[in-house]
């Protein structure tokens, strides 16, 4: 059974700083997703990573995938308050998407 | 929300009563999913469907049943609601992705269910 672990589970950071969220998974998969969720809202897709070495960037967020290490990272550059949200990684397992527990990100000004 | 409607948006019910949540899509997507979201657990898969009348269990299926008689509708039923089923329920849809498996999931707005 696939296990997906995110860390940290809670991250409080100052505006302008950089930080990385890690997503480890236990079984081979060639597809990984990052989602964002604002409080009381649904999930919004951020990135789809389809192959080893894949890197995607959107604004201050950059996601990468290392399938050999079974690791994905979500790097935040020069954080701003608007990035405050919960971030989930999710790994494809057959026809199912298995989610990590989520990282609550709070950016303080 | 990619043509996905969940109903009701909020529901309060009593322990032991049956509850049905509905997910309706207008995208004609093949795959539909029900997840529950609880603090500290992320989203956990309850049941999913890969076609009309084709369903399968997820990791937390006990106490839940589903039905899909039409492509556009996926129903989640709690036969006898318990307080442990208080949660936010999300429906998601997807099409087959590149290669094997499914593509990106699109999520509905969620249903907040409280079982007292």
């Amino acid at each position: 059974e696939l296990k997906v672990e995110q860390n940290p589970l809670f991250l409080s950071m100052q505006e302008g700083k950089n930080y990385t969220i890690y997503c480890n998974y236990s079984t081979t998969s060639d597809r990984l997703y990052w989602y964002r969720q604002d409080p009381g809202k649904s999930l919004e897709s951020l990135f789809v990573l389809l192959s080893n070495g894949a890197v995607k960037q959107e604004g201050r967020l950059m996601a990468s995938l290392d399938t050999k290490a079974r690791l994905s990272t979500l790097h935040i550059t020069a954080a701003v308050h608007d990035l405050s949200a919960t971030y989930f990684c999710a790994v494809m397992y057959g026809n199912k998407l298995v989610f990590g527990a989520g990282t609550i990100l709070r950016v303080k000004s | 929300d990619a043509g996905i409607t969940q109903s009701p948006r909020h529901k309060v019910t009593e322990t032991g009563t049956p509850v049905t949540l509905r997910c309706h899509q207008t995208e004609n997507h093949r795959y539909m999913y029900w997840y529950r979201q609880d603090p500290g657990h992320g989203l956990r898969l309850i049941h999913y469907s890969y076609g009309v009348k084709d369903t399968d269990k997820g990791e937390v299926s006990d106490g839940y049943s589903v039905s899909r008689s039409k492509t556009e509708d996926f129903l989640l039923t709690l036969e006898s609601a318990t307080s442990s089923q208080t949660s936010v329920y999300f429906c998601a849809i997807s099409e087959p992705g590149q290669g094997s498996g499914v593509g990106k999931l699109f999520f509905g707005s969620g249903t907040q269910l409280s079982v007292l």
Side-chain angles (χ1 to χ4, degrees), chain A residues 1 17 24 31-32 43 46 48 57 59 73 90 92 108:
Chain A
E1 191 72 26
K17 298 292 187 183
N24 291 90
R31 198 168 303 178
L32 188 140
L43 281 80
L46 293 174
V48 180
Q57 182 160 7
T73 60
M92 187 60 64
K108 300 182 292 185

Side-chain angles (χ1 to χ4, degrees), chain A residues 38-54:
Chain A
D38 293 305
K41 302 293 185 184
S42 186
L43 281 80
E44 172 193 354
S45 176
L46 293 174
F47 300 109
V48 180
L49 301 169
L50 297 176
S51 61
N52 188 44

Side-chain angles (χ1 to χ4, degrees), chain A residues 1 9 30-31 33 35 37 40-45 47-48 50 86 88 92 94-102, chain B residues 1 31 33 35 37 40-43 45 48 57-59 90 97-109:
Chain A
E1 191 72 26
L9 297 182
D30 60 359
R31 198 168 303 178
Y33 300 81
Y35 284 87
Q37 185 182 39
K41 302 293 185 184
S42 186
L43 281 80
E44 172 193 354
S45 176
F47 300 109
V48 180
L50 297 176
T86 300
F88 292 96
M92 187 60 64
N95 290 327
K96 299 176 284 190
L97 205 54
V98 180
F99 282 79
Chain B
D1 291 325
Y31 294 92
Y33 302 82
Y35 285 88
Q37 182 176 23
H41 291 278
L43 278 79
L45 182 64
Y48 68 103
K57 295 180 180 179
E59 61 181 307
F90 284 99
Q98 293 174 237
S100 61
V102 298
K104 184 166 61 176
L105 267 64
F106 298 92
F107 284 84
S109 299

Side-chain angles (χ1 to χ4, degrees), chain A residues 18-100:
Chain A
N18 303 334
Y19 209 84
T20 301
I21 299 171
Y22 297 88
C23 175
N24 291 90
Y25 53 100
S26 62
T27 304
T28 300
S29 174
D30 60 359
R31 198 168 303 178
L32 188 140
Y33 300 81
W34 284 96
Y35 284 87
R36 168 182 172 145
Q37 185 182 39
D38 293 305
K41 302 293 185 184
S42 186
L43 281 80
E44 172 193 354
S45 176
L46 293 174
F47 300 109
V48 180
L49 301 169
L50 297 176
S51 61
N52 188 44
V55 177
K56 295 278 184 75
Q57 182 160 7
E58 179 78 32
R60 300 174 188 274
L61 300 178
M62 183 174 72
S64 66
L65 177 62
D66 181 343
T67 57
K68 292 184 177 139
R70 298 177 188 163
L71 170 69
S72 179
T73 60
L74 181 65
H75 187 73
I76 303 152
T77 301
V80 293
H81 181 73
D82 286 351
L83 289 179
S84 296
T86 300
Y87 294 85
F88 292 96
C89 66
V91 180
M92 187 60 64
Y93 187 61
N95 290 327
K96 299 176 284 190
L97 205 54
V98 180
F99 282 79

Side-chain angles (χ1 to χ4, degrees), chain B residues 18 23 31 34 44 62 68 71 76-77 89 91 96 98 114:
Chain B
C23 179
Y31 294 92
W34 278 107
R44 291 180 293 174
D62 286 349
R68 191 168 179 200
T71 298
L76 176 71
T77 298
Y89 291 84
C91 173
Q98 293 174 237
S114 298

